[in-house]
Amino acid sequence: MSTTNEPATLRGKHLLGIADLTPEEIVLILDTADAMKEVGSRAIKKVPALRGRTVVNLFFEPSTRTRTSFEIAEKRLSADTLNLAVASSSVVKGESLADTVHNIEAMSPDMIVMRHASSGACEFLSRICKSRIVNAGDGMHEHPTQALLDAYTIRSHKGRIAGLKVAILGDLLHSRVLRSNLLLLRKLGAEVWVCGPPTLMPPGIERYGVHPTTSVDDAVRDADVVMMLRIQLERMQGLFFPSLREYFSVFGMTPERVALATPDAIIMHPGPMNRGVEIDSAVADAPNSVILEQVSNGVAVRMAVLYLLAGGSEA
Amino acid sequence: MAILLKHARVVDPRNGRDGEFDVRIDNGVVAAVGKGLPVDGATVIALPAGTVITPGLIDMHVHLREPGQEHKETIATGAAAAVAGGFTAVACMPNTDPVNDHAAITDLIKLKAREAGLARVYPIGAVSRGSKGEQLTEIAELRQAGCVALSDDGRPVATSLLMRRALEYAGMFGMPIIDHCEDPSLKGDGVAHEGYHAARLGLRGIPGEAEELWIERDITLAGMTHGIFHVAHMSTAGSLRAVRNGKSRGIRVTTEVAPHHFVLTDEALEGYDTNVKMNPPLRSDIDRDALIAGLADGSIDVIATDHAPHHRDEKHVEFDRAPFGITGLETCVSLTFDRLVHRGVIPLRRMVELLSVNPSAILRVPGGSLSEGVPADITILAPDLAVTVDVAAMKSRSKNTPFGGWTLRGGIVGTIVGGELKYANSLAPGGDALAAGFAR
């Protein structure tokens, strides 16, 4: 699966977004994740790659899945990890992000994994920090490890990314998962269709080289991958659509709609799901749903990212 | 003490002058402008060839932050930034803390400006008490105290009824209503121009139509009331169309554009520099090009900076948490020279109209000409001076500019207010001679 000119490591010091990665670097991460996945299948799920390194998981937004996934990945690499759910501490006392992070840096961590509600917060951090920064989701901007684990999951089922038709449906406007996925899938040569109500379509989305549509049928027809994005319940207040009920009737992924896709299409969702809003339970729990596999693969992919950022040594 | 400025090119559109003239300053006023004026006891200051003398520049849209936010700027530091930027006068917006909605606050601003003794400061009063959009301020009293216009800037004039009444009532004093045009519900919690770049970066958008709709409202009301409407910091092509249309119908509407809107576009958002966050936001290249065309063809009346100082701590945060606004007083002239004059968009005469003649006419304040007998408010410019924007050397208390380190062609030699030299640029040819001449 690896290309001949595959680099040995990543050029950048940080992982701020898919935008900064070359196709070769993306493939390197996915190939490395293959090796990491094997670690997770051992009886003793641990390698010494990050022994003696300190990783701080700095989460300014609630997160169960991503935070847990990073923590398990760090522990399997033998890093010393520290979890800070900052929403409940300094920020409430009025401390700025810069001050919070400078205080953490004073204790010499090697890496900071950050989730933050503000787009660009990780880039801001990378300008003021010495540590390596891993973006675990910044506002509506990027969620690179999610896109990498999605690509890993797609590749493990389809053997490739290039040439696949991928349909992404849901709240496109507010989704960092979408933005990272569009960049990654286009860099690796997939044909991407995005579908949602016009109120949730990001301006200029066609500049990503994708096909925007409001027709679920057009998006899903002959798709190899059908990916739903979460509809946040509070979007109704922004007048983006009239009701969850109507959203489901127009855009919800039902078995009938999935039937338009290729027979071996896979169903994906980054979670957390709203059953009966963007996805029917019959689709979420169907045999071709890989939603839980995405979660499992998340650990391997994050191990690969941390390992490669740390220099890829001491494997 | 009389001063005779010699050998400079005088650009004074109101008097139809553009050529080499001597300017005599005596007793704080322009005593004479002519060719080969006799020395007659004056101190002669010979300016280097290429130096330009213009009526004092006026920035009709600045935020001086005093009273209430002196950590960002004071009237004294803002006035120092003004003269360093070539401005002999500024008009300051009322969104201080408290809001300039009462004569006592206007008095305070005038007092602080007198104490500073640098640029002239013309206060702009609030349209509504506390700029809350409910009750009119005591407009006659504000005018008597020295307010030259009315605005709830920072916020739009909240309701159509309030705008109607303000236009009607202030119209009797010839005072313009300067509106920050923006439909609040369309703006929402947006932080950047709604378009590809904001979408890519995950920044919530402010559509250009939020501004355009509001301008259409205000033009309609200005037509209805025969009041005087001035559009603050206009930023889009659609807004310009609306203003042109209003002017063609004889409605009393004028407009200003800030340098950052004719220099930068929303592409500058890449990198999330909070010093490119302002409201209205940096727009698309189509909008920027339309504004440049409007500056060239005369449909835009004024260049005003919307000088909005913010403390470093306030800007050193996540993009969406940073306040809107950048400083502008000390970069305006260089940006205008470099991007408009030297690129052939506008001649120097038009630059003087945009920065001096028209703002003085709209605000009905002195200045805008070098007629004999007027107060000697004079800006001396070096059109070919190579300027590297040095943020650390700026006089403003705040340093929130995206133009730090930029190299631009065109700058200031000196600034004279009421016949007194308030600023001389030692980095410009003639700057030291100017300082020495006035010191004698």
Side-chain angles (χ1 to χ4, degrees):
Chain A
M1 221 158 277
S2 59
T3 57
T4 48
N5 57 345
E6 190 171 292
T9 186
L10 304 176
R11 293 164 309 144
K13 179 180 171 189
H14 313 287
L15 179 64
L16 303 178
I18 300 295
D20 305 325
L21 298 177
T22 63
E24 293 74 24
E25 287 177 309
I26 293 167
V27 171
L28 171 68
I29 294 170
L30 301 185
D31 290 349
T32 309
D34 272 332
M36 294 300 170
K37 189 155 190 185
E38 185 272 324
V39 173
S41 64
R42 295 180 194 169
I44 295 173
K45 300 179 180 58
K46 217 171 179 78
V47 289
L50 294 191
R51 194 168 54 195
R53 310 280 181 105
T54 306
V55 182
V56 175
N57 298 317
L58 188 56
F59 277 63
F60 289 87
E61 267 191 339
S63 159
T64 311
R65 195 180 329 256
T66 303
R67 194 188 53 71
T68 311
S69 179
F70 266 108
E71 192 177 350
I72 292 175
E74 290 150 9
K75 291 195 156 131
R76 285 188 184 165
L77 292 170
S78 307
D80 297 315
T81 69
L82 176 72
N83 292 311
L84 280 174
V86 193
S88 53
S89 60
S90 304
V91 168
V92 179
K93 297 174 196 160
E95 192 175 49
S96 71
L97 174 58
D99 281 340
T100 300
V101 169
H102 285 318
N103 275 280
I104 292 167
E105 281 233 297
M107 298 176 258
S108 307
D110 298 285
M111 287 193 211
I112 296 175
V113 176
M114 184 168 82
R115 155 84 48 107
H116 196 288
S118 294
S119 301
C122 292
E123 192 159 330
F124 173 64
L125 215 61
S126 74
R127 287 199 301 265
I128 62 172
C129 279
K130 291 187 290 288
S131 315
R132 293 173 186 275
I133 309 298
V134 180
N135 183 355
D138 64 325
M140 305 185 293
H141 175 224
E142 281 226 42
H143 190 356
T145 58
Q146 178 70 42
L148 288 162
L149 74 89
D150 289 341
Y152 183 86
T153 307
I154 294 170
R155 198 178 75 164
S156 69
H157 280 270
K158 302 292 178 189
R160 64 191 167 104
I161 305 281
L164 296 178
K165 176 174 176 179
V166 181
I168 307 179
L169 306 94
D171 182 351
L172 308 168
L173 182 62
H174 301 95
S175 176
R176 54 191 171 214
V177 175
L178 173 83
R179 286 168 177 78
S180 289
N181 261 305
L182 292 188
L183 290 165
L184 189 154
L185 292 167
R186 291 300 298 138
K187 284 185 186 203
L188 294 194
E191 173 193 343
V192 183
W193 288 65
V194 292
C195 178
T199 47
L200 290 173
M201 196 65 79
I205 193 167
E206 63 286 346
R207 286 174 66 174
Y208 285 92
V210 302
H211 306 273
T213 178
T214 55
S215 160
V216 176
D217 289 0
D218 287 351
V220 173
R221 188 173 295 114
D222 301 323
D224 301 289
V225 176
V226 178
M227 183 187 295
M228 261 65 64
L229 299 174
R230 174 180 167 76
I231 291 291
Q232 295 195 341
L233 305 183
E234 63 269 22
R235 294 298 172 217
M236 274 185 301
Q237 272 99 62
L239 308 178
F240 291 103
F241 52 86
S243 69
L244 296 175
R245 183 174 161 272
E246 175 151 314
Y247 184 88
F248 182 72
S249 78
V250 181
F251 294 101
M253 193 52 58
T254 59
E256 295 74 28
R257 287 174 174 151
V258 171
L260 293 169
T262 55
D264 59 347
I266 55 171
I267 303 296
M268 304 180 76
H269 194 302
M273 280 186 284
N274 287 310
R275 291 170 182 265
V277 180
E278 70 267 8
I279 188 166
D280 192 320
S281 279
V283 174
D285 303 331
N288 61 341
S289 162
V290 299
I291 294 169
L292 290 176
E293 226 176 281
Q294 289 173 266
V295 180
S296 317
N297 291 338
V299 175
V301 165
R302 289 177 176 119
M303 286 172 76
V305 166
L306 295 166
Y307 169 78
L308 289 168
L309 282 179
S313 55
E314 304 168 49
Chain B
M1 181 198 75
I3 296 277
L4 189 61
L5 300 171
K6 284 190 93 73
H7 305 319
R9 173 182 169 193
V10 172
V11 181
D12 178 9
R14 216 179 255 173
N15 288 308
R17 281 204 184 96
D18 185 350
E20 196 182 310
F21 294 93
D22 298 341
V23 177
R24 184 184 180 94
I25 301 166
D26 206 346
N27 233 347
V29 301
V30 176
V33 180
K35 294 199 189 273
L37 292 181
V39 174
D40 195 15
T43 301
V44 175
I45 301 174
L47 292 163
T51 306
V52 168
I53 289 179
T54 75
L57 307 185
I58 301 169
D59 187 348
M60 67 177 287
H61 190 142
V62 304
H63 298 269
L64 298 183
R65 305 302 190 200
E66 189 177 1
Q69 296 183 305
E70 292 83 355
H71 65 291
K72 296 175 194 260
E73 192 82 286
T74 64
I75 290 166
T77 59
V83 294
F87 292 101
T88 57
V90 295
C92 60
M93 284 295 174
N95 61 338
T96 46
D97 182 15
V99 168
N100 181 18
D101 61 357
H102 194 278
I105 298 159
T106 309
D107 288 341
L108 173 88
I109 294 168
K110 301 274 287 183
L111 174 71
K112 294 276 184 180
R114 261 199 310 280
E115 284 174 2
L118 294 164
R120 297 182 198 276
V121 175
Y122 297 115
I124 296 170
V127 171
S128 63
R129 293 185 194 191
S131 285
K132 288 188 179 134
E134 290 159 7
Q135 268 185 294
L136 285 177
T137 52
E138 292 173 334
I139 291 172
E141 194 167 293
L142 285 171
R143 176 171 179 267
Q144 195 154 24
C147 287
V148 295
L150 299 163
S151 180
D152 279 345
D153 188 54
R155 304 176 190 178
V157 176
T159 66
S160 304
L161 179 65
L162 178 66
M163 186 63 178
R164 173 191 175 171
R165 297 291 188 235
L167 285 163
E168 284 172 337
Y169 193 85
M172 89 174 135
F173 305 117
M175 291 171 88
I177 308 296
I178 304 174
D179 200 6
H180 169 122
C181 293
E182 172 179 82
D183 182 307
S185 74
L186 276 183
K187 184 213 171 198
D189 50 6
V191 298
H193 174 61
E194 182 172 307
Y196 169 74
H197 292 287
R200 199 192 81 70
L201 294 166
L203 298 173
R204 290 182 299 275
I206 304 173
E209 289 76 4
E211 176 177 298
E212 294 158 16
L213 269 177
W214 212 259
I215 290 177
E216 298 276 13
R217 179 199 83 162
D218 286 354
I219 288 175
T220 301
L221 293 170
M224 172 192 186
T225 58
H226 306 293
I228 309 168
F229 165 41
H230 180 77
V231 186
H233 44 50
M234 188 178 74
S235 68
T236 79
S239 298
L240 181 60
R241 276 196 298 277
V243 168
R244 279 185 180 137
N245 183 274
K247 287 185 172 190
S248 73
R249 284 147 57 205
I251 292 168
R252 297 166 85 181
V253 52
T254 52
T255 187
E256 70 192 27
V257 165
H260 47 266
H261 285 127
F262 66 72
V263 173
L264 298 170
T265 67
D266 59 346
E267 200 176 347
L269 293 167
E270 303 285 338
Y272 298 100
D273 179 1
T274 55
N275 285 335
V276 298
K277 180 178 175 182
M278 69 289 286
N279 190 21
L282 297 177
R283 300 291 188 183
S284 71
D285 49 357
I286 293 168
D287 294 310
R288 193 258 321 259
D289 294 348
L291 297 183
I292 289 173
L295 287 160
D297 72 16
S299 42
I300 292 166
D301 303 277
V302 168
I303 293 172
T305 66
D306 193 10
H307 177 80
H310 290 293
H311 193 274
R312 180 182 180 275
D313 291 347
E314 295 165 322
K315 280 288 198 180
H316 192 57
V317 294
E318 303 88 314
F319 191 90
D320 55 359
R321 294 183 188 198
F324 291 105
I326 63 170
T327 58
L329 280 167
E330 294 170 82
T331 47
C332 176
V333 162
S334 295
L335 290 168
T336 304
F337 263 126
D338 193 274
R339 297 308 163 108
L340 300 181
V341 177
H342 292 313
R343 293 190 181 183
V345 175
I346 58 171
L348 195 49
R349 175 187 53 76
R350 175 108 184 94
M351 175 174 167
V352 176
E353 287 168 357
L354 288 162
L355 283 165
S356 177
V357 177
N358 295 347
S360 82
I362 291 165
L363 298 177
R364 302 185 178 198
V365 297
S369 85
L370 296 174
S371 305
E372 285 173 20
V374 304
D377 289 6
I378 295 171
T379 302
I380 305 175
L381 302 169
D384 293 312
L385 181 67
V387 172
T388 301
V389 178
D390 180 358
V391 176
M394 286 184 166
K395 309 288 184 196
S396 171
R397 181 162 281 183
S398 291
K399 313 295 177 195
N400 51 310
T401 170
F403 300 115
W406 282 40
T407 304
L408 300 164
R409 184 173 151 217
I412 316 295
V413 180
T415 308
I416 298 166
V417 181
E420 292 179 22
L421 183 70
K422 300 299 185 184
Y423 174 75
N425 181 6
S426 59
L427 299 174
D432 288 337
L434 197 62
F438 272 86
R440 214 170 300 158

